Amino acid sequence: MNDTVDKLVIFLAKRDGIDKLVKTFQYVSKLVVWHTESTHPHISQRFKQWEVASGLSRKAFRTGRFLTGFNALRRTPGVSPTFKFLSVLANAGEMVYFFFDHFLWLSRIGTLDPKLARRMSFISAFGESFGYVFFILADLIVVKEGIKAERKLISSGKLKEDEDNKIRKIREDRVMRLMGISANVADLIIALADIEPNPFCNHAFTLGISGLVSAWAGWYRNWPS
């Protein structure tokens, strides 16, 4: 029990940890609004306020986060040219997303002209979608290479302790990357709802489930080991 509490404290000390917690609040609220809007409008209104407040607080908390893209690119030395190229495109899209998200937040709280919100939302979502496509491709490539490396180690015959450790690390990395792919696909659906509104992506249930998949995959990836 104490170990779990300690891990929770460490998790919530991270910016990403707080973001995933508030994101859970945001999208649980969206699902409650969808479920209660026709039968219990007073409850629906309260949860709508919680959803909006959670969304705005997440945007405020992400101030300056677009700069992390530069750091991510700095931390990928020695990788293949293909992976480096995908990383540049992915982080460029994410930097556009976080940068214009600042203006979206300011327009929604009334500091900037509220009429800018729709344009800023489109640009931010477009950059987000662009980045997610390349993050997904990069992770799929690494997962594929990891499977090949694991099969090669297994087919080599009797495994040594260091080879067992390599296989374990490959499998752990694969799980993390699959969690990343799940989160990015879910967030891509949410972003597409802003770029090109449609009945599937814009449905409250689709958005709510996508948001929770993204949030909980983030919980898993950021939870202290």
Side-chain angles (χ1 to χ4, degrees):
M1 181 66 179
N2 289 337
D3 183 55
T4 301
V5 172
D6 290 341
K7 288 183 177 181
L8 181 61
V9 171
I10 294 170
F11 175 77
L12 294 178
K14 302 176 183 177
R15 173 152 66 170
D16 278 345
I18 290 290
D19 182 66
K20 301 315 173 190
L21 177 63
V22 180
K23 191 171 188 176
T24 300
F25 294 156
Q26 180 183 357
Y27 286 98
V28 166
S29 299
K30 180 176 282 294
L31 289 173
V32 173
V33 170
W34 168 72
H35 184 66
T36 61
E37 60 184 348
S38 60
T39 55
H40 300 87
H42 59 291
I43 295 177
S44 176
Q45 180 59 31
R46 290 179 182 179
F47 276 90
K48 183 63 179 177
Q49 292 172 341
W50 194 9
E51 177 196 345
V52 172
S54 297
L56 289 175
S57 64
R58 287 183 63 222
K59 292 183 185 303
F61 198 67
R62 292 198 298 256
T63 301
R65 188 166 173 177
F66 71 97
L67 295 172
T68 60
F70 294 110
N71 190 44
L73 291 174
R74 251 186 344 110
R75 292 167 56 191
T76 55
V79 298
S80 67
T82 299
F83 190 83
K84 186 73 173 179
F85 179 67
L86 292 175
S87 294
V88 169
L89 293 176
N91 283 285
E94 187 175 65
M95 284 189 285
V96 169
Y97 160 46
F98 284 127
F99 181 76
F100 283 93
D101 203 46
H102 297 350
F103 299 106
L104 173 58
W105 168 56
L106 291 172
S107 61
R108 283 187 173 166
I109 64 175
T111 302
L112 297 179
D113 187 346
K115 293 179 181 179
L116 290 173
R118 182 67 199 128
R119 186 179 301 173
M120 295 300 104
S121 178
F122 179 86
I123 297 172
S124 177
F126 185 85
E128 181 181 16
S129 300
F130 183 88
Y132 287 146
V133 168
F134 293 104
F135 276 127
I136 292 168
L137 288 175
D139 280 337
L140 286 172
I141 289 172
V142 175
V143 167
K144 182 180 178 181
E145 290 177 349
I147 292 172
K148 289 170 62 178
E150 181 183 349
R151 287 175 177 172
K152 185 176 180 180
L153 287 169
I154 293 174
S155 65
S156 64
K158 189 175 180 179
L159 296 178
K160 299 178 182 178
E161 184 177 349
D162 61 328
E163 291 173 335
D164 282 335
N165 290 334
K166 287 179 182 177
I167 290 175
R168 188 178 68 254
K169 289 179 180 178
I170 289 171
R171 290 175 177 173
E172 290 173 351
D173 181 71
R174 184 188 308 149
V175 170
M176 288 298 184
R177 290 191 182 277
L178 289 175
M179 288 294 104
I181 291 170
S182 299
N184 288 333
V185 169
D187 283 330
L188 179 58
I189 292 172
I190 296 171
L192 290 175
D194 271 341
I195 296 173
E196 187 60 42
N198 60 84
F200 175 74
C201 291
N202 288 78
H203 195 283
F205 182 77
T206 304
L207 291 172
I209 294 300
S210 297
L212 290 179
V213 168
S214 173
W216 292 342
W219 272 78
Y220 186 89
R221 296 177 75 196
N222 287 283
W223 190 258
S225 58

